[in-house]
Amino acid sequence: MKIWTRQTWITAVLVLCMCFILYPGRTFAHAYIVKSTPAANEALDQSPDTVTIVFNEAIEKVFHSLTVTNTAGERVDLDNSHIDDNNPARLDAGLKKDLPDGIYTVSWRVVSADGHAISGVIPFIVGSGGTAPVQEADSGAKALPGLDQTLIRWLQYTGLSLYLGTLFFHLFLLPKAKRKDSYNLGRSQTAIIVSFILTFLGVILSLPLQAKLDAGVTWSEVWSNNVLGEALRYSSFGSIWWTQVLLLLVLAGLTYALIPKWSQGEKPVFAGLALGTILCMFVAKAFMGHAAAAELESVAIGADFIHLAAASLWLGGLLALAFLLPAYGAGEPDTAARKQLYWGTIRRFSITGAVCVLLVLGTGLYGIKIYTPTLSSLFTSIYGQVLLAKIVLFIVMLVFALTGFLRGRRMNRELGPAVWIEFSAGIVTLVLAAILSNLPTALSNPGPVHLEDKTRSGHTVMIDISPNIMGKNEFKVTVQDPDGKPVNGIEATSLKLTSLEMEMGTLEINMPGNTSPVIKDDLITMAGRWQIKYHVLLKSLDSLDGLVNFTVGNPK
């Protein structure tokens, strides 16, 4: 009795994919500081000997830095930053002896366990150095990723999409009687080989690309100073990359087996195994994306996998309809049989496409929810703007897909150029997806924030923070009475900012009394979730107190 049928193989590999998704030990999140010595804005009587930063989890052993500078921009550390041997979550650096009184800034950069580089600044004061300076923040997050980042990610997305669609076409879209011998078509073999080459280039080049980004070096420097070796041995990306290479080797063998002139055997079985291997590669890809830094990692990684797989199946299926189906139809001598093959395949794809659309739409909305903290961030952040462009193209593809579905039901006119237009829109969508994978999410640049809180007395306190990023910000406090009219008689205002992600004390902003609104520039030293405890003293001696939460972006 034949136990390992094609369906059994496919089911087994799919179950393996689900195990990868549900296995929680492989998920990571962005590291964040739980303690620093000196603490942010701490005033010290004497010069410290070292600077210590402790994170909530172990950080990568490579590509970290910690520098300390004075107000003149001169380094006062010993250039010996290192991770503590006994505590992999601790970063230390020595300082020069007897630092003079003044203000100093600690600039740190590490790669967290999820493979993302993070950075920040911690100012402190020695002696009678005054108050911590208000610093301008780097605006680097507003720039689009480089061409190399977009191209390499696009190669992998496109290769996997085309391969997945070609396999699905052979396994499920063609009529059953045609599936076994369909692999002899020259176009199918070309599609399989080209798809593998694109996937191979995307996977292999992703390692030096990630090492370049994590180490902050140029392409020429990646190949020297053992940058690649350190990335492979010590980074989480390196371990996942090895998994991808192993899967790539399996896919290479299956690609060889799928070409009739190269090997003999049951092509549907090889195709089912190749399909499962590609899905496993999508799982590995999800572990290296933004989802690995989400608050609900397992859910986000699962949603990212489903989004990638569904979108790729839809796009790859379109290529099969545009490139492969006409050739199969031309090989059918009987007109009625050719028509039945053509429209039957389209109807089967229409069902698949509808399911893919629903999955892409649902997981896409979930991604918007977790990666864009406010509606305005869709328009103010580069991530949100690229995401909006992707949504527009998705709608274009959806319109053409609906047109194809209606034609498939009526069997009145071949798809013609419409399917190529839909496919072209999908290719551009993959470019945008590659850009998004290299951009910080809108959480990094949520845009100016407007906070409102109604007090027990009926007054409304409004706090506006702009640009709402780590570094210099403008704080504006406005008060309205219970009738909604501006309150001009403000004696004094204080804002006490507390990080909800790390122990770093309280950042207090005192704002002298003035006519509403009260405005002052001050420094936010860390990105992430914060809480403001506000206190407004009116000239009537009434006090307005309350708590509001907000998210600070990281421009780096």
Side-chain angles (χ1 to χ4, degrees):
M1 182 175 66
K2 188 176 180 181
I3 299 177
W4 284 96
T5 63
R6 180 189 65 185
Q7 290 79 9
T8 307
W9 277 108
I10 295 175
T11 302
V13 178
L14 289 177
V15 169
L16 179 62
C17 288
M18 292 303 104
C19 290
F20 270 116
I21 295 173
L22 298 176
Y23 182 61
R26 295 298 305 275
T27 60
F28 308 100
H30 276 327
Y32 56 85
I33 297 175
V34 295
K35 182 181 179 181
S36 68
T37 306
N41 295 322
E42 183 177 2
L44 306 174
D45 294 331
Q46 296 181 341
S47 170
D49 296 326
T50 60
V51 171
T52 299
I53 302 177
V54 180
F55 296 87
N56 67 308
E57 64 181 18
I59 54 178
E60 301 284 12
K61 297 180 180 180
V62 290
F63 311 137
H64 56 76
S65 66
L66 192 159
T67 61
V68 184
T69 56
N70 58 24
T71 52
E74 301 167 335
R75 291 188 64 169
V76 297
D77 61 280
L78 300 179
D79 195 16
N80 65 347
S81 64
H82 60 278
I83 297 175
D84 191 297
D85 293 334
N86 299 318
N87 183 1
R90 174 173 164 170
L91 181 66
D92 295 317
L95 298 177
K96 295 180 180 179
K97 297 291 186 181
D98 301 324
L99 296 181
D101 291 357
I103 301 169
Y104 298 89
T105 302
V106 179
S107 300
W108 57 268
R109 184 180 186 275
V110 299
V111 179
S112 60
D114 66 349
H116 292 83
I118 56 175
S119 59
V121 294
I122 302 174
F124 67 92
I125 304 165
V126 175
S128 56
T131 58
V134 176
Q135 301 176 0
E136 295 287 350
D138 184 6
S139 59
K142 297 181 180 179
L144 289 171
L147 179 61
D148 54 351
Q149 296 171 258
T150 302
L151 178 60
I152 291 173
R153 300 280 163 82
W154 178 83
L155 285 173
Q156 189 171 355
Y157 285 152
T158 303
L160 291 174
S161 298
L162 302 188
Y163 210 144
L164 183 63
T166 302
L167 295 174
F168 196 81
F169 178 79
H170 286 286
L171 288 169
F172 301 107
L173 296 185
L174 283 175
K176 289 184 179 180
K178 302 288 184 180
R179 294 172 187 173
K180 188 172 183 179
D181 297 327
S182 62
Y183 302 88
N184 293 310
L185 186 70
R187 287 193 181 188
S188 290
Q189 297 176 35
T190 299
I192 289 172
I193 294 172
V194 171
S195 300
F196 176 78
I197 292 174
L198 293 177
T199 302
F200 174 85
L201 291 174
V203 171
I204 296 302
L205 292 175
S206 66
L207 176 65
L209 172 66
Q210 190 68 33
K212 167 182 174 287
L213 298 175
D214 287 348
V217 298
T218 63
W219 272 103
S220 60
E221 293 171 328
V222 166
W223 313 105
S224 60
N225 299 325
N226 201 29
V227 174
L228 286 180
E230 291 186 346
L232 280 173
R233 287 195 300 270
Y234 302 117
S235 70
S236 58
F237 181 91
S239 62
I240 297 177
W241 186 82
W242 278 122
T243 301
Q244 283 198 310
V245 169
L246 178 61
L247 292 170
L248 190 65
L249 292 175
V250 173
L251 189 62
L254 293 171
T255 301
Y256 179 86
L258 282 169
I259 306 301
K261 63 182 179 181
W262 293 347
S263 71
Q264 304 298 319
E266 290 292 325
K267 303 304 179 187
V269 173
F270 297 138
L273 289 173
L275 187 147
T277 303
I278 289 172
L279 292 179
C280 287
M281 296 184 77
F282 277 127
V283 173
K285 184 70 185 72
F287 275 104
M288 294 187 292
H290 293 308
E295 188 173 354
L296 299 175
E297 301 99 332
S298 296
V299 176
I301 288 173
D304 196 35
F305 163 73
I306 293 172
H307 188 85
L308 287 171
S312 298
L313 179 57
W314 185 12
L315 180 60
L318 286 173
L319 173 72
L321 292 183
F323 184 63
L324 302 180
L325 182 58
Y328 281 106
E332 182 62 58
D334 182 69
T335 303
R338 181 167 62 248
K339 185 176 181 180
Q340 184 63 35
L341 182 150
Y342 185 87
W343 292 110
T345 302
I346 289 176
R347 281 196 296 269
R348 280 185 289 274
F349 177 74
S350 296
I351 297 173
T352 303
V355 174
C356 289
V357 166
L358 291 175
L359 293 175
V360 170
L361 181 61
T363 53
L365 291 175
Y366 176 72
I368 291 175
K369 178 181 180 298
I370 63 176
Y371 299 135
T372 54
T374 62
L375 181 62
S376 64
S377 64
L378 274 174
F379 304 93
T380 59
S381 67
I382 293 294
Y383 183 91
Q385 293 164 4
V386 174
L387 184 58
L388 285 175
K390 183 182 173 184
I391 292 172
V392 170
L393 283 175
F394 175 81
I395 293 174
V396 171
M397 293 178 65
L398 192 58
V399 170
F400 279 101
L402 179 60
T403 303
F405 173 74
L406 294 176
R407 290 180 182 178
R409 292 192 62 180
R410 298 168 184 168
M411 299 175 57
N412 59 350
R413 199 173 72 186
E414 292 191 359
L415 299 180
V419 70
W420 283 107
I421 295 174
E422 186 179 353
F423 175 73
S424 300
I427 290 294
V428 178
T429 301
L430 283 185
V431 172
L432 297 179
I435 293 174
L436 285 175
S437 69
N438 290 289
L439 279 173
T441 68
L443 293 169
S444 302
N445 190 15
V449 63
H450 176 77
L451 308 170
E452 289 191 13
D453 189 47
K454 182 161 287 190
T455 66
R456 292 181 179 180
S457 63
H459 289 78
T460 300
V461 176
M462 294 174 287
I463 304 174
D464 292 277
I465 306 172
S466 179
N468 188 33
I469 56 176
M470 183 182 69
K472 179 182 178 181
N473 288 272
E474 179 188 84
F475 293 82
K476 181 170 70 173
V477 179
T478 307
V479 180
Q480 292 180 348
D481 65 19
D483 296 325
K485 297 179 180 179
V487 175
N488 295 321
I490 298 177
E491 186 70 27
T493 301
S494 69
L495 305 177
K496 295 182 178 180
L497 281 65
T498 305
S499 172
L500 298 177
E501 296 184 351
M502 59 178 281
E503 294 292 338
M504 58 175 295
T506 300
L507 304 178
E508 186 167 358
I509 303 173
N510 293 309
M511 309 169 76
N514 204 333
T515 300
S516 179
V518 181
I519 300 175
K520 185 177 181 181
D521 289 343
D522 216 307
L523 178 70
I524 298 179
T525 56
M526 186 71 185
R529 295 177 297 117
W530 286 76
Q531 182 179 83
I532 295 179
K533 182 178 181 180
Y534 66 82
H535 172 75
V536 179
L537 179 63
L538 303 180
K539 290 187 176 179
S540 62
L541 300 184
D542 291 327
S543 294
L544 308 178
D545 299 276
L547 297 171
V548 288
N549 297 336
F550 70 109
T551 300
V552 178
N554 185 351
K556 295 186 178 180

